[in-house]
Amino acid sequence: MDDLITIDRLTKNYGKVEAVKELDLKVRRGEIFGFLGPNGAGKTTTMRVMTTLTKPNSGRVSIDGLDVVKEGERVKELIGVVQQHLSLDRDLSIRENMVLHARLHRMRSTERENRIRELIEYAGLSEHADKMVDVLSGGMKKRATIMCALLHRPQLLFLDEPTVGLDAQTRRRMWDLVRRLNSDGTTIFLTTHYIEEAQALCDRVGIIDHGRLIALGSPLELRQKLGMVAVEMQGDNNGTRYQYFSDRAGATRFVQDIASQDQTIIIRESNLEDVFVELTGQKVGDA
Amino acid sequence: MSNAITDIYSVLWPELRFLRRHWLSILATSLVSPVLYLVAFGYGLGNNLTVEGVSYIAFIIPGIVALTSMTVSFGGAAMKLNVDRLYYKSFDEFLMSPISHSSIVVGKALLGVVRGLLSCGAIIVMGVFISPQLIIDPLFILSLLVSCLAFSFFGVFAALVVNSHQSMSTFNSLVMLPMTFLCGTFFALSQVPEAVRMVLYVLPLTQSSECIRSAALGEHFPWISLIALVGFGAIFYFASMYKLKKSSI
Ligand SMILES: Nc1ncnc2c1ncn2[C@@H]1O[C@H](COP(=O)(O)OP(=O)(O)O)[C@@H](O)[C@H]1O
Ligand SMILES: [Mg+2]
């Protein structure tokens, strides 16, 4: 499959802080790619480089063959970006925010009007389009921001932590929206520190920690590498311990061998969180 | 070129929307301090005073116009941009669009110009009622425009450089407030000692007061001051461009 984003030995420092270190990564056209890592891992920094907001110290990023530093102007036409923080203009309504975005992307007025109407409907915001930003719920604001990013029909949509601060139902609706956009042909690059999100949504996941990529693959591949079955041994003085096995039979055998009374033992399917914990020695979010 | 004009208008557009919605309160707020100066200094102090052969009130009205062009243009360009950049991150949306940095800087500065002209316009209307001898001619308008533009670029630059709201108000007290009182708004520079005058001539509000007052009172027009003001604006335009280029490194 062909690659839409190629990151080649990307390094970015803020003074002494090495936010991203020699990162290599390829994102395929048409996929939902998840960049998973704890707070401070370097996800936003990587995204800011890819979206032309920040220049790297070394290394190269290209999008659809275009260098983001040298050909930034053209890259900007291919991408839509939803930042981690709400970036709507609070002095404007949703519709006005969309008009502003369309103008900034030099859309002509008739095309602009049609496209805005279409996207407002797509996002289910018809009743709220003329309200000011601040009176809307968090989920609506987020959807509105995404619609702004989609106005100029980007091939590639960046979403930085798209569901932070949203309640569980709103989060699922957001996932549905992302899937729908993807099946309509948009490649998605999203960052998240929620493992469930990466697992539920992404075709492939890259795990980043302390600025380094430490694992890459589909959620299934990553689990397979670790072992599809997890044995959790609780009640030990050392806290909970984990062991991983490629199948249930292996896990069951292991449990029979070590069986003791003062321990609760759980056999379950492994998940991405297990992968993450094993690789980083920490829980996501503890950074 | 026509592309650049459309882009600049696009950058200015949301600000015009906002202005259209809130123009009355924005205008009223911006007129509080000039009107207070006019009443306190003009009527309170200057009833029987004359400065350089004109009544004190006729003398300070152009000064207050210059002062207003500074504070309102500067603040109009700086405040929202600073907040958008630091707190709301909405300025990043401009940087991620295909619009050039120069269109962004000019568009953001024009907001200051629009607000400055609006407030100064109101003061001029009051001014010609109070003191009908004031001359509002093309030279006056040109001086006012250049002044608003120069201070707007100054505001854009400040908004791009200053990294907290706290520093913005420190900047206001350390730079803007002294200029308010020192740059020939309320007194003639011929009244201060030579050495002090040399220092004050370096400050842009001095140049602005000189131009606007000379035009309004029909005195010999200080073209050098106008050129200095243009240069001052240009410096901050280029400084803003440099800052945008550098901050994305
Ligand atoms: N503008 C900045 N100036 C200084 N340090 C920064 C800046 N942005 C990010 N960092 C640092 O770089 C590291 C990575 O941050 P970030 O990319 O925001 O992580 P994430 O998005 O994964 O939470 C952190 O240590 C953070 O403190
Ligand atoms: Mg982040």
Side-chain angles (χ1 to χ4, degrees):
Chain A
M1 219 193 289
D2 75 324
D3 298 320
L4 188 54
I5 307 177
T6 307
I7 301 178
D8 189 16
R9 292 175 72 86
L10 172 68
T11 296
K12 174 68 193 179
N13 307 321
Y14 291 109
K16 284 210 168 86
V17 180
E18 289 188 287
V20 180
K21 293 172 209 161
E22 306 219 324
L23 182 78
D24 284 312
L25 184 65
K26 286 185 160 82
V27 174
R28 296 167 187 162
R29 197 184 296 276
E31 72 178 341
I32 302 182
F33 184 88
F35 211 32
L36 173 67
N39 288 326
K43 305 181 294 294
T44 298
T45 304
T46 309
M47 214 182 97
R48 285 179 68 89
V49 173
M50 292 191 282
T51 55
T52 76
L53 281 176
T54 299
K55 301 242 168 9
N57 290 88
S58 64
R60 249 182 66 97
V61 178
S62 63
I63 291 177
D64 205 19
L66 300 167
D67 186 293
V68 294
V69 178
K70 293 192 202 104
E71 291 157 298
E73 302 277 304
R74 291 183 60 199
V75 168
K76 287 171 183 176
E77 286 164 15
L78 300 179
I79 63 174
V81 184
V82 178
Q83 301 204 69
Q84 187 168 351
H85 304 281
L86 184 75
S87 58
L88 297 172
D89 188 327
R90 283 152 212 247
D91 296 328
L92 302 178
S93 69
I94 294 301
R95 192 188 305 275
E96 287 169 333
N97 265 286
M98 294 179 82
V99 172
L100 171 60
H101 265 258
R103 282 179 172 278
L104 292 179
H105 281 90
R106 297 177 177 150
M107 288 170 74
R108 292 179 196 291
S109 65
T110 45
E111 188 199 355
R112 193 163 73 207
E113 297 302 317
N114 292 335
R115 181 75 175 144
I116 289 173
R117 202 171 318 119
E118 177 189 329
L119 286 177
I120 284 173
E121 243 162 67
Y122 190 85
L125 289 170
S126 304
E127 286 158 41
H128 308 287
D130 292 308
K131 294 183 184 163
M132 301 302 280
V133 169
D134 276 333
V135 304
L136 301 182
S137 70
M140 285 186 217
K141 286 181 197 169
K142 203 76 199 186
R143 268 183 285 153
T145 317
I146 296 176
M147 294 310 122
C148 284
L150 290 172
L151 277 163
H152 59 290
R153 304 177 194 277
Q155 300 183 17
L156 170 61
L157 181 66
F158 288 97
L159 299 166
D160 196 359
E161 313 250 6
T163 63
V164 162
L166 301 184
D167 61 52
Q169 272 110 27
T170 315
R171 171 180 300 178
R172 303 231 160 140
R173 281 226 297 283
M174 191 61 73
W175 290 353
D176 284 335
L177 175 63
V178 172
R179 289 191 191 104
R180 192 146 54 102
L181 291 171
N182 180 248
S183 64
D184 290 347
T186 312
T187 305
I188 312 272
F189 182 102
L190 67 88
T191 79
T192 182
H193 65 265
Y194 297 126
I195 296 163
E196 327 82 85
E197 185 157 289
Q199 178 140 5
L201 201 52
C202 299
D203 298 314
R204 287 194 316 138
V205 175
I207 299 179
I208 180 172
D209 192 28
H210 299 297
R212 288 180 194 282
L213 189 72
I214 54 176
L216 180 67
S218 69
L220 185 64
E221 284 164 2
L222 292 174
R223 282 175 55 210
Q224 276 168 344
K225 240 178 252 172
L226 178 70
M228 295 295 284
V229 180
V231 174
E232 217 176 293
M233 293 156 280
Q234 299 169 352
D236 204 271
N237 287 339
N238 311 324
T240 309
R241 289 184 303 129
Y242 301 86
Q243 284 272 313
Y244 300 96
F245 301 89
S246 53
D247 53 24
R248 275 209 175 246
T252 315
R253 243 184 333 243
F254 171 77
V255 168
Q256 281 161 356
D257 289 349
I258 59 144
S260 76
Q261 306 84 331
D262 55 344
Q263 242 186 3
T264 309
I265 296 179
I266 296 169
I267 302 180
R268 57 168 173 79
E269 289 202 338
S270 65
N271 55 38
L272 260 189
E273 178 154 334
D274 297 318
V275 175
F276 190 90
V277 172
E278 285 305 306
L279 287 171
T280 63
Q282 66 176 355
K283 287 246 175 194
V284 171
D286 283 357
Chain B
M1 191 60 201
S2 79
N3 214 345
I5 289 171
T6 322
D7 286 354
I8 289 169
Y9 181 71
S10 297
V11 175
L12 184 61
W13 181 83
E15 320 293 358
L16 293 180
R17 272 324 261 212
F18 181 72
L19 204 58
R20 199 151 77 189
R21 218 170 264 149
H22 302 287
W23 67 273
L24 195 58
S25 65
I26 291 172
L27 182 63
T29 319
S30 74
L31 289 181
V32 172
S33 69
V35 167
L36 287 178
Y37 288 141
L38 200 61
V39 172
F41 293 122
Y43 289 116
L45 266 182
N47 246 336
N48 304 312
L49 277 175
T50 57
V51 181
E52 293 183 329
V54 292
S55 74
Y56 187 58
I57 191 109
F59 178 84
I60 63 165
I61 288 170
I64 290 174
V65 171
L67 173 64
T68 305
S69 79
M70 172 179 87
T71 49
V72 176
S73 296
F74 177 87
M79 293 307 173
K80 177 136 196 306
L81 177 54
N82 194 243
V83 171
D84 282 354
R85 186 174 77 89
L86 293 180
Y87 299 100
Y88 295 150
K89 312 285 179 194
S90 50
F91 187 57
D92 282 344
E93 302 297 325
F94 290 84
L95 297 178
M96 282 187 294
S97 77
I99 286 185
S100 69
H101 285 178
S102 60
S103 298
I104 294 176
V105 170
V106 174
K108 290 292 179 191
L110 283 183
L111 167 66
V113 175
V114 171
R115 287 196 183 192
L117 290 178
L118 190 66
S119 302
C120 289
I123 293 170
I124 293 166
V125 170
M126 281 185 258
V128 291
F129 268 107
I130 297 169
S131 174
Q133 72 193 91
L134 294 174
I135 305 162
I136 312 301
D137 62 358
L139 213 48
F140 179 92
I141 307 286
L142 176 69
S143 305
L144 180 60
L145 255 174
V146 170
S147 176
C148 288
L149 197 58
F151 287 112
S152 296
F153 280 126
F154 188 25
V156 170
F157 176 70
L160 293 178
V161 175
V162 167
N163 276 329
S164 74
H165 211 65
Q166 179 61 41
S167 339
M168 202 68 184
S169 59
T170 309
F171 184 87
N172 268 324
S173 323
L174 289 183
V175 180
M176 306 311 273
L177 197 59
M179 280 213 274
T180 301
F181 287 100
L182 294 177
C183 294
T185 312
F186 301 112
F187 56 85
L189 285 173
S190 56
Q191 289 162 324
V192 298
E194 180 75 27
V196 178
R197 187 158 65 229
M198 298 307 273
V199 175
L200 295 183
Y201 263 111
V202 178
L203 299 173
L205 183 56
T206 308
Q207 311 299 336
S208 165
S209 305
E210 293 281 300
C211 294
I212 292 177
R213 180 171 292 131
S214 303
L217 300 179
E219 293 164 356
H220 180 69
F221 190 77
W223 287 100
I224 301 284
S225 292
L226 190 69
I227 292 167
L229 214 48
V230 170
F232 176 79
I235 288 172
F236 284 105
Y237 165 79
F238 287 113
S240 304
M241 293 289 288
Y242 178 73
K243 181 69 180 64
L244 279 185
K245 188 161 173 241
K246 221 183 106 232
S247 66
S248 62
I249 290 176

